[in-house]
Amino acid sequence: MEHNANIKKAISVEGLVSLIIIGVFFTYLCSIMGVVNMFNTLISTAHDLLINTVFFIMGITVLAGAFGSVLSEFGIISILNRLLSCLMKPLYKMPGAAILGVVTTYLSDNPAIITLANDKGFKRYFKKYQLPALTNIGTAFGMGLVVTSFMIAQQSPIGESFVLPALIGNIGAVIGSVVSVRIMLYFTKKEYGTDEMAVEGSDKSFNMLKYREVREGNIGSRLLESLLEGGKSGVDLGLSIIPGVLIICTLVMMLTNGPSATGLYTGKAYEGIGLFTFLADKLNFILHPMFGFSSYEAVSVPITSLGSVGAAIGLVPKLLKENLVGSNDIAVFTAMGMCWSGYLSTHVAMMDSLKCRKLTGKAIISHTFGGLAAGISAHWIYELWMNVL
């Protein structure tokens, strides 16, 4: 048989070890939640994520795809690239057009930037090594407007305003995004080099950075065609993210959340064993100097944002009501919620959509450090503002 590095024995140590790990993991879950409750929660959580999260994201990607396609068709991306190159290049080592991804994801959610990245009019500004980093820069600002508005609107038990902490959290998210993108670019340069363009221009008779292609027809037909084509790419993207969201986010939720409000397991969606919260309690001596959390319960918010920032911010009102968090925590929640914004549940699908699946691990590692940098920065900026300025 011809040697093939991708062929292994049908039965090997790898399979046996995997079987043991899976068995131990689910036995552990069942021992705490009960077999019936565990499977009901698993299925109910995945179903709820599909109905209320995936289709919500698909709605975003369709609208964002249509919007981005129109901006590309009528040259607005070209203008943004020219105006903002002076800002994006020194900070991120990215073209000015990347700012459109920042704005789009801030107003919507992480996958919106991938819809843009599938548009040739947008990709033509990027080198090949820069394209995978769009996953990181887009995720760092995902649902930014929602998170910021939500934090500002919260009621403090002592009547303090959360406007300043939320704004500081945005600054922290920017710092985290720079860290994440720069680390990712280090990996992608080694993989692709720095010369090849994301869209090859060898078949074009013009300079793609100075000129752009447009669709045939009058303004009305070009507008309609760009809207429909962009929206169709959004549908394709919405379907492609289903496995990542359902599998990874479900597991994160079950390892982070606790039982129902009564303290019992009922098999409803989003119940869990609270393992991550338990570990955070044990690591509080490290977490407090880094993030300044007011209580170990506060760590549940950034941990939950690993899978879903929407679920994470839903924890904040209860923590505030019980006086377990304060202004510093809000700043850190905003920074880490924005920067991480469910990256464990979307990075796999986003990198797959960019045809960079082999760099998924590098993207996740880069963004992990980016989110930590965002939270640490927000904490110390808040401390500096309150105690020095």
Side-chain angles (χ1 to χ4, degrees):
M1 183 182 68
E2 185 179 351
H3 176 70
N4 189 324
N6 293 322
I7 292 180
K8 293 186 178 182
K9 291 183 178 180
I11 299 176
S12 64
V13 175
E14 181 180 63
L16 295 175
V17 171
S18 298
L19 181 61
I20 292 171
I21 292 174
I22 293 171
V24 169
F25 177 74
F26 281 102
T27 299
Y28 176 60
L29 287 179
C30 292
S31 67
I32 298 175
M33 303 178 69
V35 177
V36 175
N37 289 332
M38 190 277 291
F39 279 106
N40 282 340
T41 295
L42 192 72
I43 296 170
S44 297
T45 301
H47 177 260
D48 189 78
L49 286 169
L50 176 64
I51 300 300
N52 295 316
T53 300
V54 172
F55 288 138
F56 174 74
I57 293 175
M58 184 183 289
I60 292 173
T61 58
V62 170
L63 295 176
F67 180 63
S69 183
V70 170
L71 296 185
S72 173
E73 175 69 20
F74 292 98
I76 299 173
I77 294 178
S78 301
I79 296 172
L80 289 173
N81 179 67
R82 185 66 60 86
L83 292 176
L84 298 170
S85 292
C86 58
L87 175 65
M88 298 303 290
K89 285 183 178 179
L91 282 179
Y92 297 97
K93 298 296 182 182
M94 298 280 277
I99 192 67
L100 180 62
V102 172
V103 174
T104 304
T105 53
Y106 189 87
L107 296 175
S108 56
D109 204 353
N110 313 351
I113 198 169
I114 306 303
T115 312
L116 294 175
N118 287 328
D119 186 284
K120 283 188 177 181
F122 182 77
K123 282 201 296 188
R124 67 194 178 97
Y125 295 103
F126 294 82
K127 298 286 185 71
K128 189 172 183 178
Y129 80 94
Q130 294 172 324
L131 206 62
L134 285 173
T135 295
N136 296 63
I137 195 172
T139 303
F141 294 94
M143 289 185 68
L145 183 62
V146 174
V147 173
T148 303
S149 302
F150 183 89
M151 295 301 182
I152 290 175
Q154 294 309 297
Q155 297 288 329
S156 168
I158 59 175
E160 58 187 331
S161 171
F162 291 141
V163 174
L164 179 61
L167 294 178
I168 290 175
N170 276 252
I171 297 172
V174 172
I175 295 172
S177 69
V178 173
V179 171
S180 176
V181 171
R182 289 297 192 99
I183 296 175
M184 185 60 181
L185 289 177
Y186 170 79
F187 292 125
T188 57
K189 283 180 182 178
K190 295 178 68 175
E191 181 71 26
Y192 299 115
T194 58
D195 298 324
E196 189 176 354
M197 296 297 294
V199 177
E200 292 297 334
S202 57
D203 60 334
K204 307 294 181 185
S205 59
F206 58 86
N207 185 328
M208 293 197 324
L209 295 179
K210 292 184 178 180
Y211 302 94
R212 58 188 175 85
E213 282 186 298
V214 297
R215 295 173 173 83
E216 295 181 357
N218 55 36
I219 291 178
S221 64
R222 286 168 56 202
L223 174 63
L224 183 60
E225 189 176 346
S226 61
L227 283 171
L228 295 178
E229 285 188 8
K232 183 178 181 298
S233 68
V235 173
D236 295 336
L237 174 61
L239 291 174
S240 71
I241 69 171
I242 290 176
V245 173
L246 266 58
I247 296 169
I248 298 176
C249 196
T250 297
L251 292 177
V252 171
M253 293 294 102
M254 293 184 70
L255 292 173
T256 302
N257 297 339
S260 65
T262 63
L264 301 175
Y265 289 102
T266 63
K268 292 184 178 179
Y270 299 109
E271 293 180 355
I273 61 175
L275 176 62
F276 286 164
T277 306
F278 171 78
L279 294 175
D281 181 28
K282 302 303 180 184
L283 295 174
N284 195 47
F285 69 97
I286 297 175
L287 298 175
H288 184 73
M290 293 173 63
F291 306 111
F293 289 137
S294 303
S295 63
Y296 69 80
E297 289 90 349
V299 78
S300 63
V301 176
I303 288 178
T304 304
S305 69
L306 294 171
S308 169
V309 70
I313 61 178
L315 301 173
V316 175
K318 182 175 181 291
L319 293 173
L320 282 170
K321 185 177 180 180
E322 296 176 359
N323 205 26
L324 295 173
V325 297
S327 294
N328 175 78
D329 301 280
I330 295 297
V332 176
F333 292 165
T334 305
M336 299 185 78
M338 276 180 56
C339 196
W340 276 348
S341 54
Y343 76 104
L344 286 184
S345 61
T346 58
H347 257 41
V348 176
M350 291 169 75
M351 292 298 289
D352 191 41
S353 297
L354 287 174
K355 297 177 175 60
C356 302
R357 183 181 297 178
K358 61 182 176 180
L359 290 172
T360 300
K362 301 292 194 306
I364 290 175
I365 291 171
S366 303
H367 214 65
T368 299
F369 284 106
L372 294 174
I376 294 170
S377 299
H379 167 54
W380 288 107
I381 292 173
Y382 179 83
E383 290 294 321
L384 178 66
W385 182 273
M386 298 302 295
N387 299 317
V388 178
L389 302 178

